[in-house]
Structure formats: structure tokens, C-alpha cells
Amino acid sequence: DAGVIQSPRHEVTEMGQEVTLRCKPISGHDYLFWYRQTMMRGLELLIYFNNNVPIDDSGMPEDRFSAKMPNASFSNLKIQPSEPRDSAVYFCASSLAVYNEQFFGPGTRLTVL
Amino acid sequence: AQKITQTQPGMFVQEKEAVTLDCTYDTSDPSYGLFWYKQPSSGEMIFLIYQGSYDQQNATEGRYSLNFQKARKSANLVISASQLGDSAMYFCAMSPGSSNTGKLIFGQGTTLQVKP
């Protein structure tokens, strides 16, 4: 079975541009998580979904960030407008249920110039 | 406050020897889960091992074992017979039970280098 799939793997953009990160969770997993990893702040949970419904978005930095999960096999994270401080690796993860291990995608390395 | 603390920013171990990576946690929830993940230089996050707070025995997965000491709130990862491929960053994480969400709180990580 394929693992969690993320695209693109690398994204370089200029400040002010819209950025869209995509994620396909493992089939059958009911939970989907978006994380951000930086040297300064480590791994932070941004938002997570249960059965396509956003449950907790308290980690989303500000209104420039939004995430949707239109169906069980796709989620996207948008940043509009992007800023240099958004530069980070963004991970998507999915899990079968609460307390199950989360399986991470390969990450998207975002650089905002 | 719910928190994971990894006090060792970096560790060295000789190939074929065992190494222990420390992790302490703080939670008032009686029910929680503890996880270890490995992040090699390629960047992906790899799940290693899980321990539930009510599990009576320490978790083991191949060369990985989790030394769970509930009273001390510690969940150290033991890697036996280290291999060069074990060189990576290791993260301890906790899923607190009160929220019943599976939400993970990560520590800052420990970088392990295995010497040949």
C-alpha cells in the first residue's frame, strides 16, 4: 500500500504569492494531521481532521493559513499571502484511529523568498 | 501543562553497542500514549514504537524497546546493537488522553550519531 503522499516535495515562491500544499492520506485512515517543522519551533501541529471534518485548528498561525479536506482521500493547506517566516517543512500525517501511530508523508519543503 | 522533554541534543554511540535516548513527559491525564519517531537526514518521519499508559509491559519492536517508568514519567528509547543506519534525529511524542484526539505533542529531538 502507498503511504501518505504529499506534493510538491519542494516549493520556492516569492513573498505575497499563494502557496498550496497537497496531501493524500493512507486509504481507510480517519484522521489527518498537518504539521510544520522549523529549527526554532520544532514540530508543531497546525490542524487536524476526523472523517474530513476539521476538529482543532488552534495551531494555525494566522488567517493567512487555511486547510480543507473535501473528501477522504485529499487535503490541502493554503497560505495566502505567503511570508518568508512561513519557510519550513510541512508534513501531512494520517492515522487509523485515536491513539494509533501516525504515518507521515515525506514533507514539503517550502521556501518563501 | 502537557510537555515532552528530551534533554540530550546530541548523542554518540559506537556501532554494535546499545544506546538509551531519554524522554520525560508531563501530563495530568491518567490515559495517554507515548511514541518514538526517527527522522533520518532525508527528512521523513518514521514511526518506531508505541507505549500506552496502561500497558503493563514495556513495548518492544525488534531492536527498539521502550523503558517505561510511569512513576518517574519517563519513556526512554533503547536501541540495541546500533547500526550506522540508526544515525538520525529521534523524537519522543505524547498523545494526551483528555482530548481523546490522537493529537501528538513532540519533544525537541535528539540527534544520534553511530560511529563505525
Side-chain angles (χ1 to χ4, degrees), chain A residues 96-111:
Chain A
L96 192 58
V98 169
Y99 294 140
N100 282 64
E101 63 269 27
Q102 294 179 19
F103 293 89
F104 282 71
T108 295
R109 183 174 294 278
L110 173 65
T111 303

Side-chain angles (χ1 to χ4, degrees), chain A residues 8 11-22 63-68 76-83 86 110-113:
Chain A
E11 177 81 26
V12 180
T13 190
E14 292 190 344
M15 184 173 63
Q17 297 297 306
E18 178 178 291
V19 173
T20 300
L21 311 181
R22 298 174 180 81
D63 292 345
R64 297 184 298 107
F65 285 69
S66 64
K68 292 184 180 178
N76 62 35
L77 177 69
K78 287 190 178 181
I79 308 172
Q80 167 63 22
S82 57
E83 296 182 4
D86 301 331
L110 173 65
T111 303
V112 183
L113 303 174

Side-chain angles (χ1 to χ4, degrees), chain A residues 33-36 43-48 59-60, chain B residues 103-104:
Chain A
F33 304 82
W34 282 100
Y35 291 90
R36 178 173 67 174
L43 270 158
E44 303 174 281
L45 177 68
L46 299 177
I47 185 172
Y48 79 93
M60 296 285 260
Chain B
K103 183 174 173 177
L104 286 178

Side-chain angles (χ1 to χ4, degrees), chain A residues 27-105:
Chain A
S27 177
H29 281 193
D30 291 334
Y31 287 82
L32 184 139
F33 304 82
W34 282 100
Y35 291 90
R36 178 173 67 174
Q37 185 178 32
T38 61
M39 288 293 292
M40 290 297 294
R41 300 175 67 91
L43 270 158
E44 303 174 281
L45 177 68
L46 299 177
I47 185 172
Y48 79 93
F49 297 82
N50 179 21
N51 291 322
N52 313 339
V53 177
I55 302 300
D56 184 350
D57 64 354
S58 60
M60 296 285 260
E62 47 199 274
D63 292 345
R64 297 184 298 107
F65 285 69
S66 64
K68 292 184 180 178
M69 191 166 185
N71 57 60
S73 58
F74 177 74
S75 175
N76 62 35
L77 177 69
K78 287 190 178 181
I79 308 172
Q80 167 63 22
S82 57
E83 296 182 4
R85 61 191 166 123
D86 301 331
S87 297
V89 178
Y90 290 80
F91 286 102
C92 175
S94 70
S95 69
L96 192 58
V98 169
Y99 294 140
N100 282 64
E101 63 269 27
Q102 294 179 19
F103 293 89
F104 282 71

